Amino acid sequence: MNGTGVDQHKAVLLAVRDVMVQKFLQREAIWVALSNEVGQGFAMRILEIENESLRQVDAALKRIEDGGFGTCLECEEPISPTRLAAVPWATRCLRCQELEDSRQATEAAEPKLAA
Ligand SMILES: [Zn+2]
């Protein structure tokens, strides 16, 4: 991937990261304000999801530094520019992501045998 493309994705990622951190701080304030257990459990779940998203954005920024950005982690083929424009923190090409999604869907659908 050429330098200009990477710079654009980096700018998007940094902007998304900014928004996430802002939201994160707001959520934290709400979480602290919630005193009942149900509210805290709910807030914790949101924090977990947002923390995961932030981690993905940070990982993408790191891949830009390392030079691995835009390459699928599974098959090492280039991720399509359209996909990166939509999901700049994507770690897999569309084909590998679909395989991963269906694998996870299968896992979620199967009952856990050893609880
Ligand atoms: Zn792939």
Side-chain angles (χ1 to χ4, degrees):
M1 176 169 291
N2 64 43
T4 319
V6 170
D7 281 351
Q8 278 174 1
H9 288 305
K10 187 174 179 179
V12 171
L13 285 164
L14 286 172
V16 168
R17 194 182 190 285
D18 247 24
V19 173
M20 279 181 174
V21 170
Q22 290 293 328
K23 273 174 69 179
F24 208 62
L25 294 174
Q26 283 173 12
R27 299 276 194 212
E28 221 164 31
I30 293 169
W31 178 65
V32 170
L34 289 168
S35 53
N36 69 72
E37 269 179 41
V38 176
Q40 286 203 352
F42 180 65
M44 282 299 282
R45 185 79 195 102
I46 292 172
L47 284 176
E48 271 173 28
I49 294 167
E50 290 187 348
N51 200 12
E52 174 64 17
S53 310
L54 191 61
R55 202 184 56 75
Q56 288 183 349
V57 170
D58 277 343
L61 285 166
K62 188 171 183 303
R63 285 197 300 277
I64 288 177
E65 301 303 321
D66 296 348
F69 182 79
T71 304
C72 176
L73 292 181
E74 299 284 339
C75 67
E76 297 185 357
E77 292 289 322
I79 301 172
S80 85
T82 328
R83 175 159 167 74
L84 282 176
V87 192
W89 50 89
T91 53
R92 296 180 177 90
C93 68
L94 197 57
R95 195 174 54 89
C96 291
Q97 186 62 55
E98 280 172 356
L99 284 171
E100 174 67 15
D101 286 350
S102 63
R103 194 184 62 80
Q104 284 188 1
T106 312
E107 264 179 22
E110 280 168 9
K112 295 274 171 285
L113 295 175

